[in-house]
Amino acid sequence: MSCAMLLDMAVEAFPNRIALTSGSASLTYRELQTAAHQAAERLRACGCRHAALLDTNSLAVPVLLFGAAYAGVPYVPLSYRLTGRELEELLDRLVPATLVAADEHVGALRIPTGVEVLDRQEFLAAVGTVEPIRHTGEYLDPVPVRAPEPIRRSGTYPDPDPTSPAIQLFTSGTTGKPKAAVLRHQNVLSYILGAVEFGSAAETEATLVAVPPYHVAGIAAVLSSTYAGRRMVMLPGFDAAQWLRTCAAERITHAFMVPTMLARIIDQLSGAEATLSALRAIAYGGGRMPRTVIERALRLLPAVDFTNAYGLTETSSTICLLSPDEHRAALESQDPDVQRRLGSVGKPLPGIELQVRDGGGRELGPDEPGVIFVRGGQVAGEYRDSGSVLDVDGWFCTRDFGWVDREGYVYLDGRADDIIVRGGENISPGEIETVLLAHPAVSDAVAAAVPSEEWGEAVGAAVVMKEGRAISAAELQQWVRERLRSSRVPERILFWERLPYNEMGKVLRCNVRAELSAAVCDVR
Amino acid sequence: MLAPTEPASTEARLDPAHAQGTLIGKRYIDAQDRVEMLCTQGGQGSLTFEGVVMTVKQAKALPSSD
C-alpha cells in the first residue's frame, strides 16, 4: 500500500476526469497514471535511490510524486530558494538520484557524480506528456491532452511496503540547518484517508495550487486533490494579480494559502470580488494569521468557507483545523471566548491526540500554556540522520508553544525555541509583538532574545515603522511598560526598513536574533 | 460432487444475500466496530465479517484543508 493507491483509485473511479492543469496543458487521471508509470520505468532503469525535484509547480510535480511511489523510491522536492552551495550540499546527500529540474535552477550548480539531471521538458517528453494541447478558444472548457503513445508498455508496479519512505523534505530551517524529514507511505496515507472523503469533489471543482512543491502543503494538495477527484491547477509562483486572473479563468473553487498570500490578495481585491464568483473555500496555514487580515477576508468574501489548518512537515500536514462555521461564529459572536477563536487553530483531526506539557513533561490542563505534543498514524516525527524523535509512547514534540481552552480549541503562541528565558522567567515573544504591533506607528515587529550579562537573556525587538511615522525607542518602551510586566519591556529596540521573511511568509527569527545580538554586543 | 465426465460449471453465481455491492472509496465496518476495511476497487458482492454483511462507516465530513 502506497501513495500510488490514491491515484489508482481515482483512475478506477473517474479515469477520464481532468486531474490537473498547468498553463495550457491538462491531463486526465488515466493520463497522469500512464505518465507516472513511465516515470517509474525511467527511475527504475537508472537505479536511483531518490527522485528529486528542483522546480516550480508544473505537470512534472504530480507525475514525479506518483512515479516515485510506483518505483518505490522517495520523492524529494528541493527548494529553489536555497543558495547554490546549500543545494549542492543537499544533492551530495541524495546520491544516487534522478533530479528533475528547470534549467534556470540547475544551470550554475556543481552536480555531484551519481545525480542524473533531467530537464523538466525532457522529463515530460520521456513520460509522454510533453506537447501541451491548446485550449481551443474557450478557456473554461479545457480540452484534454492526448498523450502520445507510451514509449514502453507499462510494466507491473509492485506495491511498495507501507513502512518505506514516501517523501523526504528538507524542513525550512528558520531555526538552523535544514533537516531531512522522512514521511513514510503509511503516515501520508493515514492523513489522506482520515481527512479526505474519496471522490467527494464535483467534476466542476478546481483547486489552485500556489504553494511551492517543496512545502508539505504542496504535497498534501496533490494527494488530497487526487483522492477527492478535484482538478488541480498548478501555479508556478505566487503573485496576487496572477492568482486572481487564474482564479477567474479556471473557475477556481478551492485554494490553499499562507497568511502573507491572503493579505496580498485582500489588498488587490477591492472591487474585483466578482472575479472570484466560483470560489467556495480557502484553507490557510503555515504561519500566524493576523486577526485583521482574516477579519477583512471574512467580510469581503462572505460566501467563501475559510478553514484554518495547522500542521507541520513532520506530521504529514494538517493536524488541527478551525472550520468555516467556527470562523463565522467567531466573527458574529459578542462573547469574547467565542470571538477569540478566530485566533485559534481549531481542534485536532479525529486521528490525532494532542497534549500540552510543561518543561518537566507533565501534562497541563485547560488554558495552561506549554509545549504541544501530538500522536497519531500521520505523525512521522522522523529525520534521516537522527531517526525517530517520537517518545516511547509515540508522542511527537511539535516545539510549538500554546494551550488548549476549556472547549478544546488549540491556540499557538510561537515556537518553543523562540522563548526568551530572562532570569529564569519564560517570556513568549508573541505577547510583546502583539503589543508593539498595536502601536499606531508600527507596521511590523519581532521580539527575540538578546544576551544579557544580568539576566542571561533579555528582550530585544526589531521594529518597522509605518511610512512617514517616527517614534523613539524610549516611547515604544514606555508603550510596552504600560501594557505588560516590566520584564517584557525590550531592552534594545532596532528600527529596520523591513523584517526578513522566507518565501512562505515566516519571519526568519534566527536572523533577527543574530542581528539583534550582534547589535547589543557592538554597543558594549 | 461432480461425476468425472460431467463438465464443471465455469460460472460463479453471486449469492443474492451478498449482493448489495461494495463501493470504491467507502469504508466498511462490522457491527461491533472491530474491523474496518477500505474498498479500493468496487464490485457487486458484499463484504462480510464472520458471516455478517459489513456496513458503510459514516464519517463526519471535514472541510478541505489543503
Side-chain angles (χ1 to χ4, degrees):
Chain A
M1 208 162 79
S2 81
C3 294
M5 179 187 90
L6 306 172
L7 177 57
D8 289 341
M9 288 172 70
V11 173
E12 178 74 22
F14 26 81
N16 300 318
R17 199 185 265 205
I18 304 283
L20 76 150
T21 301
S22 179
S24 55
S26 293
L27 293 178
T28 65
Y29 286 101
R30 186 179 304 289
E31 288 162 346
L32 173 58
Q33 185 191 48
T34 304
H37 282 167
Q38 298 292 327
E41 299 280 358
R42 179 77 205 235
L43 293 170
R44 277 194 202 162
C46 71
C48 68
R49 301 280 296 278
H50 297 96
L53 178 93
L54 181 60
D55 200 2
T56 49
N57 280 321
S58 80
L59 294 187
V61 170
V63 171
L64 190 63
L65 197 170
F66 288 117
Y70 284 123
V73 297
Y75 168 66
V76 190
L78 302 172
S79 167
Y80 41 82
R81 305 277 181 177
L82 296 176
T83 64
R85 198 195 167 86
E86 289 170 317
L87 281 168
E88 286 164 2
E89 269 178 35
L90 296 187
L91 286 174
D92 281 335
R93 293 158 74 179
L94 297 178
V95 171
T98 292
L99 173 68
V100 174
D103 249 357
E104 73 248 42
H105 301 310
V106 83
L109 291 183
R110 171 192 61 78
I111 302 295
T113 314
V115 175
E116 177 204 33
V117 180
L118 287 178
D119 173 70
R120 181 213 296 166
Q121 287 309 107
E122 198 185 330
F123 169 72
L124 288 174
V127 300
T129 63
V130 77
E131 275 312 302
I133 301 296
R134 300 283 150 205
H135 292 270
T136 49
E138 179 53 75
Y139 201 40
L140 305 182
D141 184 21
V143 178
V145 162
R146 183 170 297 280
E149 280 307 300
I151 306 156
R152 298 181 212 96
R153 282 191 64 78
S154 302
T156 52
Y157 301 93
D159 215 7
D161 179 346
T163 64
S164 63
I167 287 149
Q168 191 179 303
L169 281 176
F170 289 96
T171 57
S172 62
T174 51
T175 52
K177 201 174 151 72
K179 286 188 286 184
V182 175
L183 304 178
R184 295 176 185 272
H185 286 283
Q186 61 189 11
N187 303 131
V188 178
L189 283 172
S190 170
Y191 167 61
I192 298 292
L193 300 181
V196 185
E197 180 73 16
F198 177 73
S200 53
E203 198 161 357
T204 48
E205 292 183 16
T207 189
L208 188 50
V209 183
V211 281
Y214 56 81
H215 191 274
V216 70
I219 289 167
V222 171
L223 298 174
S224 62
S225 304
T226 302
Y227 197 61
R230 185 176 296 124
R231 181 169 67 103
M232 295 169 254
V233 177
M234 311 302 271
L235 208 56
F238 178 75
D239 163 82
Q242 174 68 33
W243 190 95
L244 285 166
R245 275 196 302 277
T246 311
C247 249
E250 296 282 354
R251 310 276 310 150
I252 294 299
T253 56
H254 290 67
F256 175 88
M257 57 187 79
V258 298
T260 324
M261 289 159 71
L262 185 61
R264 291 191 194 156
I265 287 163
I266 293 297
D267 283 342
Q268 287 260 324
L269 202 56
S270 51
E273 288 87 340
T275 61
L276 300 182
S277 61
L279 192 64
R280 289 183 3 218
I282 290 178
Y284 62 91
R288 181 192 281 253
M289 172 65 87
R291 198 183 169 94
T292 47
V293 174
I294 187 62
E295 278 189 2
R296 249 183 100 199
L298 284 163
R299 292 189 205 284
L300 275 171
L301 301 168
V304 172
D305 283 346
F306 283 88
T307 300
N308 185 356
Y310 159 55
L312 295 90
T313 303
E314 295 90 335
T315 60
S316 314
S317 190
T318 310
I319 49 175
C320 288
L321 55 83
L322 187 75
S323 75
D325 288 345
E326 288 162 333
H327 277 79
R328 294 196 178 100
L331 188 69
E332 285 153 19
S333 176
Q334 302 302 315
D335 177 348
D337 284 341
V338 179
Q339 282 176 349
R340 195 172 299 130
R341 284 182 201 151
L342 217 42
S344 143
V345 293
K347 294 184 176 180
L349 295 188
I352 290 288
E353 294 173 86
L354 186 144
Q355 282 185 357
V356 180
R357 299 185 189 171
D358 69 10
R362 191 177 61 93
E363 189 182 352
L364 296 170
D367 296 326
E368 292 184 299
V371 179
I372 292 174
F373 282 71
V374 291
R375 179 164 74 172
Q378 70 182 80
V379 178
E382 180 184 354
Y383 303 100
R384 199 172 105 167
D385 297 322
S386 52
S388 173
V389 294
L390 304 183
D391 72 11
V392 284
D393 299 313
W395 290 93
F396 172 68
C397 174
T398 64
R399 309 198 66 76
D400 280 325
F401 213 68
W403 68 91
V404 180
D405 75 7
R406 291 185 185 279
E407 301 294 319
Y409 288 90
V410 179
Y411 290 80
L412 300 182
D413 187 23
R415 299 282 293 165
D417 312 73
D418 300 328
I419 294 299
I420 303 157
V421 187
R422 184 184 184 271
E425 187 183 1
N426 286 349
I427 300 173
S428 155
E431 60 173 326
I432 300 165
E433 288 160 10
T434 304
V435 169
L436 289 171
L437 285 168
H439 191 284
V442 172
S443 80
D444 209 353
V446 156
V450 292
S452 159
E453 278 177 24
E454 191 178 2
W455 304 103
E457 282 182 353
V459 180
V463 171
V464 181
M465 292 281 103
K466 283 183 182 155
E467 231 177 274
R469 302 294 296 259
I471 187 174
S472 70
E475 282 173 278
L476 269 182
Q477 285 166 330
Q478 185 56 30
W479 172 268
V480 177
R481 193 171 295 117
E482 284 163 8
R483 287 160 179 84
L484 295 172
R485 271 181 280 170
S486 61
S487 58
R488 269 68 174 165
V489 177
E491 271 183 27
R492 174 101 190 138
I493 298 180
L494 295 182
F495 294 95
W496 290 359
E497 297 262 308
R498 68 185 71 83
L499 299 180
Y501 283 93
N502 74 7
E503 73 284 5
M504 295 303 288
K506 277 189 193 167
V507 74
L508 297 166
R509 290 181 178 276
C510 210
N511 302 18
V512 174
R513 196 164 163 166
E515 288 201 37
L516 279 171
S517 300
V520 169
C521 295
D522 277 354
V523 170
R524 290 181 190 138
Chain B
M1 278 290 278
L2 297 173
T5 52
E6 204 177 334
S9 167
T10 54
E11 194 182 315
R13 282 215 190 80
L14 191 56
D15 178 345
H18 295 274
Q20 285 102 313
T22 304
L23 295 172
I24 186 167
K26 295 287 178 202
R27 288 149 183 262
Y28 291 85
I29 47 170
D30 69 307
Q32 282 82 44
D33 204 0
R34 290 165 297 172
V35 180
E36 181 174 328
M37 301 181 93
L38 172 72
C39 172
T40 61
Q41 193 163 5
Q44 295 167 6
S46 310
L47 289 171
T48 61
F49 182 69
E50 293 177 345
V52 182
V53 173
M54 297 173 81
T55 55
V56 172
K57 180 184 180 180
Q58 300 297 344
K60 190 178 152 228
L62 295 171
S64 170
S65 60
D66 312 297

